[in-house]
Structures are given as structure tokens and as C-alpha cells.
Amino acid sequence: MTVTALEIAAAVRSGRITAGEVIEQTLAALPQPSDDPLVAITRLLPERARAEAAAVDALVAAGKDPGPLAGVPYGVKDLFDVAGLPTTAGSTLYADAPPAAADAGAIGRLKAAGAVLVATLNMDEFAYGFATINARHGTTRNPHDPSRLAGGSSGGSAAVVAAGLLPFSLGSDTNGSVRVPASLTGIYGLKPSHGDLPLDGVFPFAESFDDTGPFTRTAADMALVWQVLSGRDATAGEAPLRIGRLGGRFRENADPDQLAAIDALAADAPLVELPDIARARSAAFVITAFEGGNLHRKALSVSAMAFDPATRDRLLAGALLPRALYEEAVRFRDSFRAEVYALMARFDVLLAPATPCAAPPIADPRIEVDGALSPARADLGIHTQPISFTGLPSLAVPLYRPGRLPLGLQLIGAPKGEPALLKLAARLEAAGVAGVTLPPGTTTGSQSGA
């Protein structure tokens, strides 16, 4: 499916197509998890989807408004509670866990707006990684080149949207787990202001940084989904946006096309640097590792061998970190954040790369950082992790580059500054600078009847 959420909702609300018809077409297009060439889907939910679609159609038939996302199908990363299903967080450890008693808060808001949940989606185990290399389900593949990574940890959520199978999806972003796969698969991905979107019913990783974040194929769809999830207005007003360009580390590890695009977009914008950026990323690693390791400390002591080996070793290391080091990192975060917020008082948006490069090959998942090869699973978030450290909102937008592997920019806003990010994204899309490129073999067709 390559039509937008806005188009589908408009067609369902007007009666040009039923939500039931949309869902049947969607389910027919989605592969079974065992046959999924992208290794993106962990579970299909046909019974639930049909029931939710029927409820939307009943409202339309009764002359009532079913909501701004009426009949729009979507999927969620496999760490959101879905009523009646175990929340596995991508791990065999919780494959037989008791089923969730209720939906996660974000799913509840989407359902109230008329959206229809159809699938759960692949991820790095416990969201610990930037690659979606999962020991249980397999490695999610990039729709633009199946020999390459889709990124992570929300790789399945990104891949289904990039492939045109769903108009939007939900992931979670701790250190870049939405923005990294959005950049590598060529779609939009939002990390909101920390704590701004519902996190109840989402399996935690590191409380200091965890956020719910959506993926979409257009800037307008992102604004719509964000409004539904946040309950806030996406309108940014008419005042010109104050834009800056991030320098220092953000220009040392970047693709030349990203830097050229940033400079072309804001040639006269000041080049600014965040203070102590390398220290900030190190502190983010410490906080993430400590909180993640201690969250799983009991399970590690009882069932360590049930963990994905790559995840287990990192969690064990985090569980062994001294609390004093963690507390020092937290204190530094407070001072660093204060400095960055003072800087943001001068700007509405800062421009930076979202990832240091395009998607690396699955056969050799390494990237170049500071002139040396480094594991992609740890370092694809080199530009996103310091932003998560501040709690600021950040939107990954895809550069429009047909025929080449996707690359994204990062639009970073002031606290609660999502409307400015959405405004700039829409402007870049209208100008042809940003935009989704269809993967090879994808056809354009309308499921909305519009």
C-alpha cells in the first residue's frame, strides 16, 4: 500500500471505501511472518483488525465521525502491550508471558481516532541496538536493498512503512531507535519531547530516554499521527523559523550529501556546536547501560542463556556498572541539558545528519566512525544519542535521492517544539528536498479509492 493515512481516512469517512475493504486489502498484501522477505512482521492480527474496522464502519453508517485516522491500518513494535497477547520485546524470554490485560496507551489513542492495528513488528531484543538483528525472529532487511540493514531497534516498524505495506507504524526511541531506521529506509521518524507521548504499556529499556515515536511516509501524515498521540495542535504559526546548523562531531562523521543538503537549506544559518558532545554520548551510554542492565538483573541471574547473546553481554556489563558512575552521568546530563536549552533559546530548529552513512550490508554490519570501522549495532546512533540525552524533540526526514540508498537529516527542536519541526519538514517536502523514494518493485496504487 502506498497511499497515505490522510487519503485513506478521508475516503473511509466520506464512504468512498469501507474500513473493512481497506483492511482486507492490507491483510492480503502483508506476508505471513514465516514468509516475510523483509523479516519485519512478528504477528498478524486479522481478527482484531476486522473487528476494529467493523466498528469504524458502524460509526460511518450511523452518521458519526469515526475519527481522523478512520480505517487507517498500522503496526506496532513488538514491545507495545496488545490486549490478549504476550509482550515479548523481541525476546524468547517472554514468548510465553501472560497476555497483556489492556492495550498500551498509544494504541488506545490511535484506536479512539479510528486507526486499525494489524501487526506487531520486529526489533532488536529489548530495544538494545541500532540494527534489528534479532536472534529469535531474524534480521530485518532494508526494502531498498534486502542485503542491507534496516536499522534499529525499531527496524520492523520502519521497513513495513518504507515498503509501502502500511501508511504508518509505531516504534520506540531511546538513543535513536526511530530516527536511525527512518534515515536508513528513507521515511519520516519522530522522537518527541521526552515523555510527551504515551509510554504506559510499553516495555521499558532505559527510563531516562525511552519515548514512543511514529514512522510515516509523508510530513502531513506525521503531523496527523503526532496530533492524535499528543493531543496537541501541529500549527507552528507564521513567524519565520530560526534555523541553525550543528557543527563539530555532527560534521565529522557524515555523508557529503547530508552536509551539502544542510548547507544548501540554510546557507546563511549560523554553525553552532553543542558543548562536550563526546562526553554527552559517553554519559548516555552509561545511563542506558546501567538502567537497562538493572531492569533485567533478576532475569539475567536466573535465565541468562535465554537472552540474545549480543544483548546479554551488554546488559550484564550494564548491571555491573557502579551506581556512583551512573549518578555522575546523571548529574552531567542535568548541566549539559541546561547549556543546550540555553542554546535552543536562539533557535527553533537545528539541522544535523540523522545517521553517519547509508545502510551498511548485513554480511558486514560495520560503519566508518572517525576513520575506523565500528560495529553498526552500537554506533549508527552517533548523531541521535546526544539529542536523546537532552530530551529535545527530533524528526528524521528523508532526503529525496531517487536511485540511491536513503539518507536522512535530523531536525532538532526546542522543548515542545514539534510544530516547528513539522512545519519545516512540510516545507522541505514541498520543495522536493525531502521525500520518500519507493523501493525497487513497489507499485503505486490506491487502497483508498481516492
Side-chain angles (χ1 to χ4, degrees):
M1 179 176 64
T2 56
V3 291
T4 70
L6 278 166
E7 290 171 336
I8 294 170
V12 169
R13 295 169 90 181
S14 68
R16 295 197 304 274
I17 192 171
T18 67
E21 290 170 324
V22 172
I23 294 310
E24 290 305 325
Q25 293 173 27
T26 300
L27 291 171
L30 290 170
Q32 292 294 323
S34 59
D35 298 320
D36 181 5
L38 295 176
V39 197
I41 299 168
T42 57
R43 288 174 292 202
L44 291 178
L45 310 173
E47 292 183 8
R48 173 176 174 138
R50 289 177 177 125
E52 290 188 350
V56 170
D57 288 333
L59 289 173
V60 174
K64 299 178 180 178
D65 184 359
L69 288 169
V72 180
Y74 73 102
V76 296
K77 186 176 182 176
D78 212 350
L79 48 55
F80 285 82
D81 283 356
V82 176
L85 298 176
T87 305
T88 70
S91 177
T92 57
L93 198 65
Y94 295 105
D96 298 317
D103 289 335
I107 293 176
R109 291 192 186 184
L110 293 171
K111 182 178 180 179
V116 177
L117 180 62
V118 299
T120 60
L121 305 164
N122 199 14
M123 57 182 286
D124 285 294
E125 184 185 59
F126 300 125
Y128 209 165
F130 292 119
T132 310
I133 299 172
N134 185 285
R136 180 185 180 201
H137 298 293
T139 299
T140 297
R141 297 178 177 273
N142 195 314
H144 291 269
D145 180 348
S147 72
R148 294 178 180 269
L149 293 173
S153 62
S154 309
S157 298
V160 293
V161 174
L165 295 169
L166 294 173
F168 82 94
S169 65
L170 289 187
S172 67
D173 190 308
T174 301
N175 287 303
S177 288
V178 165
R179 290 160 290 162
V180 166
S183 177
L184 299 189
T185 62
I187 57 176
Y188 294 85
L190 175 67
K191 189 213 84 71
S193 299
H194 181 56
D196 201 43
L197 299 187
L199 273 172
D200 53 300
V202 179
F203 197 105
F205 173 22
E207 183 181 2
S208 290
F209 307 130
D210 289 348
D211 280 304
T212 293
F215 295 93
T216 68
R217 292 171 59 85
T218 69
D221 276 1
M222 180 60 74
L224 174 60
V225 174
W226 176 78
Q227 287 185 139
V228 167
L229 289 171
S230 68
R232 293 168 53 201
D233 186 356
T235 304
E238 299 301 322
L241 294 175
R242 300 169 301 164
I243 298 175
R245 296 172 296 154
L246 278 180
R249 296 288 291 165
F250 291 94
R251 294 183 76 89
E252 292 168 6
N253 294 286
D255 187 283
D257 284 357
Q258 291 169 311
L259 300 181
I262 289 170
D263 293 344
L265 290 173
D268 298 326
L271 193 64
V272 298
E273 291 194 32
L274 299 184
D276 289 329
I277 193 68
R279 188 180 175 197
R281 187 165 184 243
S282 296
F285 270 124
V286 168
I287 294 172
T288 299
F290 183 90
E291 293 184 359
N294 280 274
L295 176 69
H296 295 281
R297 180 184 288 271
K298 182 176 180 180
L300 287 165
S301 67
V302 175
S303 306
M305 298 310 294
F307 285 74
D308 178 330
T311 306
R312 179 184 62 235
D313 293 348
R314 298 174 79 186
L315 290 173
L316 283 169
L320 295 173
L321 285 172
R323 176 168 288 276
L325 182 61
Y326 168 74
E327 291 173 349
E328 181 182 351
V330 170
R331 287 193 297 272
F332 172 71
R333 180 185 60 188
D334 293 341
S335 62
F336 179 81
R337 182 185 294 163
E339 289 188 68
V340 174
Y341 279 27
L343 173 67
M344 286 305 303
R346 296 163 43 199
F347 300 100
D348 299 302
V349 183
L350 294 176
L351 302 177
T355 52
C357 58
I362 292 171
D364 184 15
R366 295 183 296 170
I367 61 174
E368 186 174 313
V369 176
D370 296 333
L373 290 176
S374 178
R377 188 167 188 167
D379 283 335
L380 273 168
I382 187 172
H383 298 317
T384 56
Q385 195 164 18
I387 308 307
S388 293
F389 193 62
T390 66
L392 295 174
S394 177
L395 176 63
V397 301
L399 289 174
Y400 185 66
R401 39 190 275 140
R404 291 179 289 172
L405 287 172
L407 271 174
L409 299 183
Q410 199 176 180
L411 312 185
I412 302 155
K416 304 289 186 181
E418 285 88 341
L421 306 184
L422 295 165
K423 177 180 179 179
L424 181 56
R427 183 190 301 170
L428 298 180
E429 188 175 274
V433 176
V436 170
T437 305
L438 295 174
T442 305
T443 59
T444 56
S446 177
Q447 268 187 288
S448 68

